[in-house]
Amino acid sequence: MKNYSIVRIGNEYVVQADEKSVLRITSRRRSARLVTVAAELLDSQAGPPLSAQADIQPSIARDPSKVP
């Protein structure tokens, strides 16, 4: 989450991601903490980039070097 903001609307704070409201909470500190935790979780789930081998579809054809 690189583009977020916390906006106060009345007695509540609204967390916006890319100008879209995603969370409404009454405490500014809690909303900031939740945004931090969410960003850490998203960063930790980012897997390594896929190699060219991952794009190859599985085949049911036999491997001539293994099976005569």
Side-chain angles (χ1 to χ4, degrees):
M1 255 192 303
K2 294 180 181 180
N3 189 16
Y4 76 91
S5 61
I6 300 173
V7 181
R8 184 174 183 172
I9 300 176
N11 293 334
E12 297 177 325
Y13 292 92
V14 177
V15 176
Q16 297 178 335
D18 294 326
E19 298 183 17
K20 185 174 184 180
S21 298
V22 293
L23 178 68
R24 184 175 288 180
I25 197 162
T26 57
S27 167
R28 176 156 174 74
R29 285 185 182 178
R30 185 157 167 83
S31 63
R33 190 174 335 136
L34 289 172
V35 167
T36 302
V37 169
E40 289 173 358
L41 286 172
L42 289 172
D43 288 340
S44 71
Q45 289 184 355
L50 296 175
S51 66
Q53 287 286 348
D55 294 338
I56 298 172
Q57 296 294 324
S59 173
I60 59 170
R62 65 182 178 88
D63 185 356
S65 65
K66 305 273 182 191
V67 179

